[in-house]
Amino acid sequence: MVFTFILVPLVMASLMPLIGKISKKFLPDILTNITLLFLLIYSITIGRQIISSGTGIRQLVWLGQQLNITLALDGFSLLMLFLISLVSFAVGLYCINYMEHYGSKAVFYALFLLMIAGMNGLVLATDLFSIYVFLEVAAVASYALVAFGLGYDELEASFKYLMLSAVATAFILVSIALIFGFTDSLRLHDVALAFQLLNAKYLVGLCVTLFIFGFGLKAAIVPFHAWLPDAHPSAPAPISAMLSGVLIKISGIYAITRIFLNVFGLNPAISTVLMYLGVISILVGAIIAFSQNDIKRMLAYSSISQIGYIILGIGLGTPLGILGGLFHLFNHGIFKSLLFLNSGAVEQATGTRALDKMGGLAKRMPITAATSVVGSLSIAGVPPLNGFWSKLIIIIALVQAKAYGFAIVAVLASGITLWYYLIIQRQAFFGKLNETWNNVKEAPFWMSASMIILALICIAIGILFPIIIKSWLVPATNVLSAGVYYTINLFRF
Amino acid sequence: MIQTLLLTALVIFSILAVLLRDLLKAAISLAIASIFLAIIFFRMNATYAGVFEISVVAGLITVLFVSTIALTKSDGDVRESKVVSILFPIFFVLFIIIDIFVMKTLLNRLMVVRYPAPTGNFGQVLWGQRTLDLVGQIGVIFAGVFAVIALFRKRDKKDE
């Protein structure tokens, strides 16, 4: 049952504070991680089973009566569900040790599970207003999670994030209201069909602009990125991993992609706008990341740059471009989460995020250093790791489409990415050990385990990429490549 | 004509809610703006939306704001950048111009597709046709409650 993806984390979240009354740490740790493992296995087994028989449009039946809850599970939404489940499971393991000193673990897990329920709901929704509602579920939970440390920086970052998200939401709602005014419906199928009948290029242009403002802010595409370099570094490391690894992709990229490609249809104008936004994000993110001394801030700017690659690939609109964009989206979810978890381990061990104060930590934290090397090389696109293949596919797609200028920028920015990740490695982990850190110890067991899992996934995807492409990415690409006709033909219910 | 007056009053009191430096006056302006919005809802036959707007936004939320302001000690004036007071009117006028241009010039020319409207009364539509949104609303309420619990919790001494 597809509704399980929403119901299980929602129910567990509601129970978590009560569970926290019985056991402050043990039961919340165990039950949250069992829930996350269940969702991961469910997305792999049941999810694949459902979409193997065509699009998994499901109307919920409860006690023999049909409820009006209609969810759609297809190749694209399943890829997103898999990414959410995979990253959140690794992050859940990490939280067992990392969140010890924050206190109120049960409430933390409740918010964490709500964020997951919100993202799952957004991915499965077949109606524009439902997309907005679940966007808010994930957003409200994430504001609290960013501020969870209760420090000045955390509260300020959370407030900034909340304010800019409210602006984003206003743009999204105005666009939804306009669409409703012209079509009398909010169902993706109806809207897609209506826009085909109306042939309303002005209306599409206006709605696209409003959605780019709204979802672009959520995805932190340049020039809507101002909140991200504050919010992501200030949050606890596992939440930074979730925000950069998953949330900006689901609430920004997924929504833009689904609506622009499957509802409006990607025309040359939208494609050009997306590609320019992508390439500007790539450059601006990479150049600003280069000059950062705070490791988490550098990673945050790097996220903006990598989101640019994803938008560039998807915006290109060719099947290969879409495949490359989705592959990079998936890969970035894995290695950026890993890198934020690495930075959290370093911050917890040393108490600093300043790169110039670190040095030689590989001698004291070999697992963190080794996994960080894997993450850094992956994101920089060094073969044979996963980031190399996704960037290569995007660049090949750009060359095939004769977008040589964009391809050159993508290659050059990849070089800059490698450069600043090598700076992280050299300043934080290698070189002479800073004597201040003589007593520093490796991250605790569960933190190390989660970092190892993500690093191994980076390597495994790099080696087994044809299997991943065939089994997970091609079905997702097919959904998006089919464009509006996919929604009109298969979202009928 | 009445509609235009109501909309103008709504915009004026909304702007006052943002610009007034006295929090109490800002909260009251917001409540008045909300009452105008509720009247607009009633005039457009959106009775339930009007009732919710008056009871929740103009009523309950205003009470919460006023109570919180009454219980909070002033921590001194916070210096604000003057750039905002210069930029706001410029952006506002620009917004109005773009809004009029879009609504009058572009959208009036477009055709509209009419799908069959949802049938049934308010309760049937809410419970029977927007069921998934209600599940989402439960999620939003939980998130809000847990956020309050998380942000107003007492920290352990060792964390401070």
Side-chain angles (χ1 to χ4, degrees), chain B residues 4-73:
Chain B
T4 312
L5 285 174
L6 286 168
L7 284 168
T8 312
L10 169 65
V11 171
I12 289 170
F13 279 99
S14 303
I15 291 170
L16 282 176
V18 177
L19 292 184
L20 283 173
R21 288 181 176 233
D22 185 326
L23 287 177
L24 197 60
K25 287 176 187 165
I28 292 166
S29 297
L30 185 66
I32 296 170
S34 181
I35 290 168
F36 281 113
L37 183 59
I39 297 168
I40 294 166
F41 281 151
F42 279 117
R43 285 174 50 82
M44 296 173 85
N45 289 330
T47 322
Y48 287 97
V51 170
F52 280 121
E53 186 66 32
I54 282 199
S55 57
V56 179
V57 185
L60 179 66
I61 290 177
T62 308
V63 170
L64 285 174
F65 276 149
V66 172
S67 317
T68 311
I69 293 162
L71 292 170
T72 313
K73 284 179 187 171

Side-chain angles (χ1 to χ4, degrees), chain A residues 161-232:
Chain A
Y161 176 30
L162 188 153
M163 285 296 118
L164 286 172
S165 278
V167 174
T169 305
F171 282 117
I172 294 165
L173 267 181
V174 170
S175 189
I176 291 175
L178 275 175
I179 291 170
F180 185 65
F182 279 89
T183 63
D184 264 4
S185 179
L186 292 167
R187 296 194 312 168
L188 297 181
H189 166 267
D190 294 352
V191 175
L193 191 58
F195 273 69
Q196 290 298 302
L197 295 171
L198 286 171
N199 193 20
K201 58 180 180 181
Y202 292 127
L203 182 61
V204 170
L206 183 60
C207 292
V208 163
T209 310
L210 291 166
F211 276 140
I212 284 180
F213 282 8
F215 291 123
L217 248 160
K218 295 274 182 189
I221 299 167
V222 176
F224 314 108
H225 65 288
W227 62 274
L228 187 138
D230 288 330
H232 288 204

Side-chain angles (χ1 to χ4, degrees), chain A residues 103-115:
Chain A
S104 301
K105 248 185 173 180
V107 178
F108 171 83
Y109 282 135
L111 288 163
F112 184 60
L113 287 166
L114 278 173
M115 187 166 75

Side-chain angles (χ1 to χ4, degrees), chain A residues 434-456:
Chain A
N434 187 332
E435 283 182 9
T436 324
W437 315 127
N438 272 336
N439 297 323
V440 161
K441 286 179 184 166
E442 180 55 273
F445 177 77
W446 290 112
M447 285 168 66
S448 301
S450 77
M451 291 187 286
I452 291 170
I453 289 171
L454 290 174
L456 288 177

